[in-house]
Amino acid sequence: RSPRRLLEQIARQLQLLYATSEKSGVLAAAEGEYDDGRPGPSGLPVTDLPAEHQVADLVEVLAAALRTFFRALPAARSSLVLVLDTFEEVIRKGPGAVRDVWQLVDAVRVALPGTRVVVAGRGTVATHGREGPRVPLGDLDPAAADAVLAQLGVTDPRLRDLIVDQYGGNPLTLHLAAEAVARTGSADEAFHGIERQADVLAEVAQEQVQGMLYGRILGHLRDEDVVKVAHPGLVVRRVTVPVLRNVLAGPCGLDPDAAEDIFERLRREVTMFELEDGDTLRHRQDVRRLMLRTIYHDPKRAPTVAEIHRRAIEYYRGGSSLETRAEELYHLLMSGEDPRALDRLWSRDLADLLDSA
């Protein structure tokens, strides 16, 4: 929420990128002006200016430096690309923070026409009327995933097939799997016996747990109780106060008496949850699909996962609504129940509720 600090960071990144250029000094000067709080180009201390002028004057420091710098570059390279990654961190701070970032981006685009902006993150970003394509980043298809593994040095096609079948086509998952295979030795020797195959896949599973789950997803969460609901509580699809109290509290190590407070904190975690209605949160399907693969292939979590399913079945059993019957069926199936034994619970009206699972 500090335009000065954001612009200082942009100037620093550009200075590092073009450190060997003869003109990099102008970028260093811009960074220095943000860093030591010198007056803006208007001659007034920027802190004494109205907010809208303050942002414009702060941006002009960077824009003036870049215009000087661009004159030394080929025309094809004389433009700025801003990539705002992990934007869910801004969304979590509320609409005011999102508005502040857009105000800064708009000021940069006015001062430097032709600037391109890429916003990446989990969650829907409010564009406030700004045009631009939305590109959902999903998994690679099997052929592309196989090609990525081959390029990363997994030479055995049978091993590549197993990895893609078991872990899917998420690019990060594939990179982590390739690193795990490399640690086990030559991929060409990976299937000299069923025990060796199990060793390789166990190594891949552990790499997924450490690299994907903890390093890239849970690492962004600051609230310990939210982390517990995310892993292994992600086993449930819908989260309510009663579900927190009766299903997740015991297995996840949560205080059942704090269920209402925990639920209110979960509502703010847009990277993990979507509000279904006023009293129900749903784990985000894209994140859940990715993390469930990791949870179900972590043998240390198997007893906890089984206990959550057992408690959920007990909680939803006998419910009269379609939603409760769908959740009961879901947990029964995930527990390994024979689908043929569940016909008594089935109706075609449940199809849409279970389709995403």
Side-chain angles (χ1 to χ4, degrees):
R1 304 202 68 166
S2 169
R4 175 189 289 278
R5 293 294 169 230
L6 283 169
L7 289 161
E8 179 188 0
Q9 184 64 229
I10 293 170
R12 180 176 300 132
Q13 295 297 328
L14 289 167
Q15 183 195 353
L16 292 171
L17 185 64
Y18 294 107
T20 59
S21 169
E22 294 180 1
K23 294 289 186 180
S24 64
V26 298
L27 300 173
E31 181 191 350
E33 186 154 348
Y34 293 126
D35 187 46
D36 63 17
R38 278 182 260 167
S42 63
L44 295 172
V46 291
T47 51
D48 295 340
L49 294 169
E52 62 273 18
H53 297 301
Q54 185 182 134
V55 171
D57 274 31
L58 284 168
V59 167
E60 183 56 31
V61 174
L62 176 68
L66 278 173
R67 283 193 290 267
T68 300
F69 184 71
F70 284 158
R71 284 197 285 270
L73 293 177
R77 299 179 64 190
S78 299
S79 59
L80 177 67
V81 178
L82 291 179
V83 182
L84 309 179
D85 197 11
T86 324
F87 204 76
E88 63 268 18
E89 297 287 353
V90 181
I91 299 173
R92 185 183 285 117
K93 289 177 171 61
V98 175
R99 185 181 59 248
D100 288 348
V101 173
W102 280 124
Q103 181 184 21
L104 177 63
V105 167
D106 288 343
V108 171
R109 295 176 72 178
V110 169
L112 294 165
T115 294
R116 296 289 180 264
V117 182
V118 179
V119 180
R122 299 184 181 95
T124 301
V125 178
T127 58
H128 299 294
R130 294 160 182 81
E131 296 182 0
R134 292 180 180 269
V135 183
L137 300 180
D139 288 357
L140 301 175
D141 62 50
D146 182 83
V148 167
L149 285 173
Q151 188 178 38
L152 292 172
V154 183
T155 57
D156 191 316
R158 294 169 298 170
L159 179 54
R160 296 200 301 268
D161 287 343
L162 266 175
I163 291 172
V164 174
D165 181 62
Q166 189 157 312
Y167 294 101
N170 178 275
L172 177 59
T173 296
L174 300 174
H175 278 263
L176 294 172
E179 291 173 11
V181 170
R183 283 202 305 273
T184 65
S186 171
D188 291 322
E189 302 170 358
F191 287 100
H192 289 175
I194 193 68
E195 291 182 2
R196 181 60 173 154
Q197 173 181 326
D199 287 345
V200 172
L201 291 180
E203 185 74 17
V204 172
Q206 186 61 28
E207 185 73 21
Q208 300 303 316
V209 172
Q210 295 301 325
M212 174 68 73
L213 190 59
Y214 296 109
R216 295 303 298 270
I217 296 176
L218 299 186
H220 289 294
L221 302 178
R222 304 287 182 264
D223 189 318
E224 184 178 343
D225 287 336
V226 175
V227 172
K228 291 177 180 178
V229 176
H231 181 55
L234 201 77
V235 172
V236 302
R237 301 197 304 164
R238 303 168 79 242
V239 180
T240 63
V241 171
V243 167
L244 282 168
R245 186 178 293 125
N246 298 299
V247 178
L248 296 179
C252 295
L254 300 168
D255 179 1
D257 294 332
E260 292 186 11
D261 176 61
I262 293 170
F263 183 83
E264 288 305 311
R265 280 141 57 194
L266 296 180
R267 287 166 63 105
R268 298 193 290 269
E269 294 295 340
V270 296
T271 63
M272 294 298 303
F273 302 97
E274 295 172 322
L275 187 64
E276 188 171 275
D277 55 46
D279 59 3
T280 303
L281 294 170
R282 182 175 287 274
H283 280 105
R284 283 195 44 187
Q285 187 67 15
D286 53 347
V287 178
R288 187 170 185 273
R289 186 183 298 114
L290 193 62
M291 291 177 64
L292 274 183
R293 289 179 181 272
T294 303
I295 292 173
Y296 277 101
H297 290 102
D298 182 358
K300 295 179 182 178
R301 290 290 182 181
T304 305
V305 168
E307 176 65 6
I308 292 173
H309 283 310
R310 186 191 68 76
R311 287 171 175 255
I313 293 165
E314 188 175 298
Y315 173 74
Y316 286 114
R317 180 174 291 140
S320 57
S321 70
L322 280 175
E323 286 76 15
T324 56
R325 254 198 301 160
E327 297 312 304
E328 182 184 357
L329 259 177
Y330 170 77
H331 288 286
L332 283 166
L333 290 168
M334 292 298 286
S335 298
E337 287 280 342
D338 185 344
R340 291 169 294 186
L342 302 176
D343 283 348
R344 59 185 172 78
L345 294 172
W346 176 252
S347 75
R348 292 187 180 277
D349 294 333
L350 295 172
D352 288 343
L353 293 172
L354 289 167
D355 183 57
S356 64

